[in-house]
Every structure is written in C-alpha cells, then in structure tokens.
Amino acid sequence: PLSHRMLTQTYAWLTGHAASNTHHQRPSTLCRAETQDVSAVKEDYRIQSVIQELLLVDRRLEVRSQDIAEKRLQDSLKDAVFATLNEAYPYGPTLWMSTRLLSGLAKKCSSALTFLALSWLQGMGISLDGFHYSAAMKACAKTTFWRHALQLLREMEENNVASDTITFNAAISACQKNGKWIEALELLSVMERSEVESDTITFNTAISACRECSKWEGSLQVLRAMAQKKVQSDAITFTAAITACEKRREWMQAIQLFGMMAREKVECNTITFNATISACEKGRQWRTALQLFGAMAQSKVEMHTTTFNAAISACEKGGESDKALQLFNMLRQRKVNSDRITYNAAISAC
C-alpha cells in the first residue's frame, strides 16, 4: 500500500502538473471548472491517504492481537481510528468526503474500520443518509460482520434514515455470505412490511442464502414469493434453487425447476445443467442425467469436468458401465480436463 508520503508527493506532482498545463493554456486566469477539478483531485488523494493510514493502524494492532485481550484490542482500534480521523479532519469532513471515505474502506473489505468510521462521523454531527449506511453494510457483506449489518439497519430506523432496496440487499448479502438463511428471509419480510421494493438481486441473494445451508424448502418459498411479486427471474435465480435441491438429493424438485426455466424462457448455462445432472446422479436417476447431458450437447452449452463427472457417476451408480466408459472416452476426445473424481467414477463403473 502507498504510504502517506508517497500519496502526498504524487498529489503534489499531479496538482503541480495540472496547474502548469493550465498556465500555458490560459496565462491570465484559471477556469472555474479547472479549479474544481484540481480541488477534487486534492480531496480524493487526501481521502486515499487517510484510508491507507487507517489500514496501517489496523495491521499494527493485528500483529499485537496475540498479546492483547479482545475487548482491549477493540478499544485500542477505536481510539487509534478516531485519533487518525480527528487529525485528518479537525473541523469535520464534508458530506462528499464522508461518502468517499466509507466507500473506500468498504472496497478494502475492512468492515471493522468502516463501522468505526461511521461511528466517528455520527459523533462529528454528520447527517448520514442511506448511501453512508449502504457503504458500511457492503463492507459487512464481505466479511463475518453480519450482525453489524443488522445493527446498522436498526440504527437507520432509530435515526429516521429511510432504507431502500440497495440497503436491504447489502444486509441480506451479509447474511447470505455468513450462512444466516433465517435472518435473510426475515429481512425479506421486513422489506415487505416496510413497503420497500424488492428486485431480482434481493430474491437471488435470499435464495443463495438458502442454498448455502442446503435449505431447499426455503429456496422454493422465496421463488414463489418472487413469482407472486412478478419480479423477473434469471439463470442465477434457478441455478441457486436447483443447487439447494441438489444438495439435499431432491432430484424431482430440481427437474421441475429446470422445466420451469424453459417455460419462463430463462436460458440455461453450464452451472444450471451441472447442478441438475448432479441432482439426478445423487438420486440415482441415470436415464434423466443422460437426457440432460444430451440436451446440453444439443444446446451447445459448454461442458466442464464437473459435467462429465456427474454424468459418469450417475451411470456408475445405475450399473451402466458401458455408458460410463463411453462418457469417459467422450471426455478424452473433447480434451476436457479429468480429475481424481473422473477416474474414480470410471474405475468404479468397470
């Protein structure tokens, strides 16, 4: 990461270079737009410098984390973050700076720093809006701080800050990535009660939360709610639901979802076919698996190692050794990579 000095030197060169170019073009006065551009560059580099300083603070404390109790570590991090921000913005940042600061920290996947920066902004009397909270929630979605995301939603309600689709999507994503499918579905209910519009991303994320925990009933429940609200489904929607069924060996449900895709004219991709074939393999339905394999070839959808592995394994479990070896030969002819699972399935079929 760039140090404070390097960022400062780069900014000095850039602003000096810009000023030099402007001087040659207009010796008399600077255009207002150009002045604003230079000012924006200056503030942007200042924000990046502060972010780098905060990341360094976090790393220093992380090194010492073995020797410090967790509560003391949290207090030390808070004190260090607040001191850094107070030094950088003794009179408080503008609303634009606040948004850029939180967005920058969120992109660095540092939820702890983002959360503390948000707390500092509140203490400085900055009027926070949905954009600020959404940025903090996105940081939570990239780590294990899913509880922080739910806490931020409660804070928004307490502070009369209107939540929107983006805010809830970020919170649901935080739950999904941490395997909290019940909390994800509860947030869907909260959205409906709050009359916040849900979109394809909302439902896809909730279905994915069910998939991560192999809760196929929950994924179908969300899919039905999606249809009732007439929200457009896509390949991601069905693939997540089919995968949830595949994990629980619900091959009939997987086939029904696959058929629903065709009726709704949603295009199937490699992952969709793979998940459905795998569901048939786990349900010992080798004929259906081969039908899907043939449909995949006919549709000219790209076949991967996983595709052949599931089909070969389905034939092996069905006692169809000849068909399993035919698929193995096809894999080699098409120069698709094979792995340990491929050879184990082929050998077991013999």
Side-chain angles (χ1 to χ4, degrees):
L2 293 174
S3 66
H4 189 310
R5 177 182 291 180
M6 290 174 68
L7 284 167
T8 305
Q9 289 175 346
T10 305
Y11 157 68
W13 176 86
L14 187 58
T15 51
H17 184 67
S20 175
N21 286 344
T22 307
H23 177 73
H24 288 301
Q25 292 168 6
R26 294 180 178 83
S28 54
T29 57
L30 281 172
C31 177
R32 179 179 297 176
E34 289 173 334
T35 305
Q36 290 175 347
D37 287 343
V38 171
S39 178
V41 169
K42 177 181 177 181
E43 291 303 333
D44 197 47
Y45 268 91
R46 184 184 179 193
I47 290 167
Q48 293 304 318
S49 176
V50 171
I51 290 172
Q52 293 300 330
E53 288 290 332
L54 291 174
L55 291 171
L56 285 172
V57 165
D58 193 26
R59 287 195 193 95
R60 288 193 204 103
L61 285 173
E62 189 177 348
V63 171
R64 296 173 54 206
S65 61
Q66 300 290 335
D67 307 318
I68 303 177
E70 186 177 351
K71 178 66 170 65
R72 188 180 164 194
L73 183 67
Q74 291 174 354
D75 291 340
S76 298
L77 181 60
K78 179 180 178 180
D79 292 343
V81 167
F82 279 33
T84 303
L85 291 172
N86 284 329
E87 184 180 352
Y89 303 106
Y91 303 106
T94 64
L95 200 60
W96 178 83
M97 292 178 198
S98 305
T99 306
R100 289 285 294 163
L101 177 65
L102 291 173
S103 298
L105 288 171
K107 286 178 182 177
K108 297 293 183 181
C109 303
S110 181
S111 52
L113 291 177
T114 309
F115 202 73
L116 287 171
L118 189 74
S119 177
W120 178 79
L121 290 169
Q122 288 173 323
M124 293 296 288
I126 300 296
S127 181
L128 301 176
D129 56 24
F131 289 106
H132 297 102
Y133 283 100
S134 294
M137 285 184 201
K138 285 176 183 176
C140 295
K142 294 174 183 177
T143 57
T144 58
F145 284 68
W146 64 274
R147 287 188 179 86
H148 283 182
L150 300 185
Q151 183 179 334
L152 289 171
L153 270 180
R154 288 192 292 270
E155 279 187 19
M156 289 181 72
E157 186 177 1
E158 291 168 2
N159 296 329
N160 295 318
V161 177
S163 52
D164 58 12
T165 308
I166 296 173
T167 313
F168 273 101
N169 284 355
I172 293 172
S173 180
C175 294
Q176 177 253 317
K177 290 179 180 176
N178 286 279
K180 302 298 177 183
W181 68 279
I182 295 176
E183 287 78 3
L185 297 191
E186 285 176 353
L187 286 174
L188 269 182
S189 300
V190 173
M191 285 184 77
E192 188 171 0
R193 291 196 299 271
S194 305
E195 298 183 348
V196 176
E197 185 178 357
S198 48
D199 59 12
T200 303
I201 296 173
T202 312
F203 285 104
N204 285 357
T205 309
I207 293 173
S208 295
C210 296
R211 176 201 63 198
E212 297 297 328
C213 301
S214 303
K215 299 297 180 182
W216 65 274
E217 301 99 327
S219 67
L220 296 185
Q221 177 188 334
V222 177
L223 196 60
R224 283 192 292 268
M226 192 176 186
Q228 288 172 358
K229 287 185 171 293
K230 297 181 179 179
V231 176
Q232 181 63 48
S233 55
D234 57 16
I236 296 173
T237 313
F238 284 99
T239 301
I242 289 171
T243 304
C245 295
E246 176 259 328
K247 287 185 175 183
R248 300 300 295 176
R249 302 176 185 272
E250 295 291 335
W251 68 272
M252 290 186 68
Q253 293 289 349
I255 291 295
Q256 288 176 11
L257 290 170
F258 188 85
M260 195 185 298
M261 289 183 75
R263 290 193 297 274
E264 296 190 13
K265 297 179 180 180
V266 177
E267 187 175 353
C268 298
N269 56 28
T270 302
I271 301 173
T272 314
F273 271 106
N274 287 353
T276 314
I277 293 171
S278 183
C280 294
E281 175 259 323
K282 289 181 178 176
R284 298 179 178 274
Q285 303 297 315
W286 66 270
R287 288 187 179 86
T288 310
L290 288 187
Q291 286 174 357
L292 288 164
F293 187 90
M296 191 174 183
Q298 216 169 26
S299 304
K300 296 181 179 179
V301 176
E302 186 178 1
M303 294 179 173
H304 293 166
T305 307
T306 306
T307 315
F308 281 94
N309 286 355
I312 292 171
S313 183
C315 293
E316 177 264 319
K317 288 180 179 177
E320 296 293 325
S321 57
D322 290 343
K323 289 182 172 58
L325 293 177
Q326 285 173 15
L327 288 168
F328 182 76
N329 290 330
M330 187 188 298
L331 173 142
R332 298 181 68 182
Q333 289 168 3
R334 295 193 177 199
K335 296 181 179 179
V336 177
N337 291 331
S338 54
D339 57 16
R340 181 176 55 82
I341 297 172
T342 316
Y343 283 102
N344 285 348
I347 291 168
S348 297
C350 296

